[in-house]
Amino acid sequence: MEEPRRLGGRYELGHVLGRGGMAEVYLAHDTRLGRSVAVKTLRADLARDPSFQARFRREAQSAASLNHPTIVAVHDTGEDHIDGVSIPYIVMEYVDGSTFRTLLHSGRKLLPERSMEMTIGILQGLEYSHRAGIVHRDIKPANVMLTRNGQVKVMDFGIARAMGDSGMTMTQTAAVIGTAQYLSPEQAKGEQVDARSDLYSTGCLLYELLTVRPPFVGDSPVAVAYQHVREEPQPPSVFNPEITPEMDAIVMRALVKDPDYRYQSADEMRSDIEACLDGQPVAATAAMGSVGYGGYPHGQPMTALRTDSSAGPTTMLPPMNRYNERPDRRRQKKNNNTSTILLVVAGVLLLVSAILIGKWLGKQF
């Protein structure tokens, strides 16, 4: 019988739990501590590329620095050598459960309240990682797990970066990192991202949990990325009548194009969801009403609402008195629309009058 492959002299690899774009994950046995673990190894065909090596090690460093119940824990790291090539690996806690992607593809319909509860778990993990200065940058159904006892676990910090890192843009890669359906507008545009980008991606994931479809779909990743930048999603209630106005408001605020008008922290978004589940008023309802949600013509980008281009550096704290200027803007927009309508009506009346006069003159001659 063939001996199981052993890493670091202690981790015996079993069957493959999953494969991704750059790594494979095995169920393994820690012979020293006598426990099951999950071992992620960089794919052998990518191990010769220094950029993939660096990204894989960065994931280990990012995840190892985080210790929270809703984040998959990293126990150990190391390197294996095959045919003279160094293949790094990460030893993580083994999570007995399934990913949100598997859950969504199973065809099971979740109650809206359960979807909101599961999103709270994601936000708790992000709140902790953001306070530690780490942005995940790849929140999507495949990177969140649900254990058999119902606990949420965020995993795969493979493209995470420290906040303030000057390299926190997407322009250095040959392709857009992060699944296109969950990209924030700033990621899609190759701009610098912060914690609020994770909240947009979480909003996309919550949207899909509520409706069983992402906010934007297209024929290609580029087409989807364009929609994230330029198009407004339809409220989740359009696809699921069980969604309440408060749930709509929470999702739509998370999906605002301009980060300054989005939720400013995971804690702020989590508080709104908890208020919604408790039957209490949610801040998103007032905030979205103030910035024009439901008050502008269909298709008007919310990015056009930002008027203060000289604002200082963004922070993770909610903006103060940011929304009280919006009603005036909306009244001005309404007045402009009224003037346009009156001009069109006047033009139609002139045209009708000209036709009638022409017919009358024709009868006279």
Side-chain angles (χ1 to χ4, degrees):
M1 184 176 178
E2 185 179 352
E3 287 289 323
R5 179 181 169 192
R6 180 176 291 203
L7 301 180
R10 63 185 284 192
Y11 305 111
E12 292 183 351
L13 300 188
H15 66 272
V16 175
L17 294 173
R19 288 186 172 90
M22 63 177 286
E24 298 172 330
V25 181
Y26 296 86
L27 175 63
H29 180 66
D30 183 348
T31 58
R32 186 175 300 172
L33 297 179
R35 63 180 177 181
S36 294
V37 293
V39 176
K40 176 185 282 191
T41 65
L42 183 63
R43 277 173 35 191
D45 58 320
L46 301 177
R48 297 180 185 275
D49 189 326
S51 64
F52 282 101
Q53 289 263 4
R55 177 180 162 187
F56 196 85
R57 290 189 175 93
R58 185 168 64 243
E59 174 183 0
Q61 293 170 353
S62 298
S65 66
L66 302 174
N67 181 20
H68 191 271
T70 63
I71 297 176
V72 174
V74 170
H75 299 316
D76 193 10
T77 62
E79 292 184 4
D80 191 26
H81 292 82
I82 298 179
D83 297 330
V85 179
S86 174
I87 300 180
Y89 63 85
I90 303 172
V91 182
M92 307 173 291
E93 69 169 305
Y94 169 63
V95 178
D96 186 13
S98 58
T99 65
F100 278 26
R101 180 174 63 182
T102 301
L103 184 65
L104 286 165
H105 289 175
S106 70
R108 292 170 53 192
K109 183 179 179 181
L110 293 170
L111 290 173
E113 292 78 11
R114 180 58 180 143
S115 298
M116 303 288 276
E117 290 172 352
M118 290 160 60
T119 304
I120 287 176
I122 300 173
L123 293 168
Q124 288 173 333
L126 290 177
E127 182 181 348
Y128 179 83
S129 70
H130 293 166
R131 285 180 178 174
I134 294 174
V135 182
H136 189 286
R137 301 203 307 167
D138 197 20
I139 294 295
K140 59 185 180 182
N143 285 341
V144 184
M145 294 197 71
L146 186 68
T147 68
R148 292 190 182 276
N149 62 8
Q151 186 177 9
V152 172
K153 293 273 189 179
V154 180
M155 61 181 182
D156 198 351
F157 281 76
I159 60 174
R161 289 286 184 91
M163 292 182 197
D165 187 334
S166 60
M168 279 187 65
T169 71
M170 312 304 284
T171 56
Q172 296 177 332
T173 58
V176 177
I177 295 178
T179 305
Q181 281 152 340
Y182 311 97
L183 282 178
S184 67
E186 53 268 35
Q187 281 180 301
K189 292 186 290 185
E191 297 176 349
Q192 187 166 336
V193 302
D194 58 23
R196 297 169 299 179
S197 176
D198 282 348
L199 303 185
Y200 183 95
S201 300
T202 302
C204 293
L205 178 48
L206 175 56
Y207 191 108
E208 189 167 359
L209 289 173
L210 292 170
T211 66
V212 201
R213 53 159 287 158
F216 299 112
V217 294
D219 296 331
S220 68
V222 173
V224 175
Y226 175 84
Q227 293 177 74
H228 281 297
V229 175
R230 300 298 304 169
E231 304 293 334
E232 293 300 326
Q234 292 184 294
S237 58
V238 171
F239 304 102
N240 184 351
E242 296 180 6
I243 304 301
T244 66
E246 291 76 16
M247 294 176 183
D248 265 347
I250 289 170
V251 173
M252 298 302 283
R253 187 178 182 193
L255 297 183
V256 171
K257 307 298 185 189
D258 189 334
D260 283 351
Y261 294 102
R262 210 177 287 158
Y263 284 109
Q264 299 297 291
S265 70
D267 177 66
E268 186 185 10
M269 184 173 177
R270 177 180 57 81
S271 296
D272 247 8
I273 292 177
E274 290 174 343
C276 176
L277 293 174
D278 290 339
Q280 302 296 320
V282 299
T285 302
M288 295 306 295
S290 296
V291 299
Y293 172 55
Y296 282 114
H298 179 69
Q300 176 70 29
M302 290 182 186
T303 48
L305 296 171
R306 184 178 178 185
T307 58
D308 183 9
S309 59
S310 62
T314 56
T315 70
M316 291 179 62
L317 297 176
M320 300 301 294
N321 300 325
R322 181 68 60 83
Y323 302 111
N324 56 9
E325 63 195 30
R326 302 274 73 87
D328 293 337
R329 179 85 178 262
R330 191 163 57 204
R331 282 194 292 270
Q332 181 182 358
K333 179 86 174 179
K334 184 175 181 180
N335 291 336
N336 290 340
N337 288 340
T338 302
S339 300
T340 302
I341 292 171
L342 290 174
L343 287 172
V344 171
V345 171
V348 171
L349 291 174
L350 286 172
L351 179 61
V352 172
S353 299
I355 293 172
L356 292 174
I357 291 172
K359 289 183 177 180
W360 181 80
L361 290 174
K363 290 180 180 180
Q364 297 299 315
F365 298 100

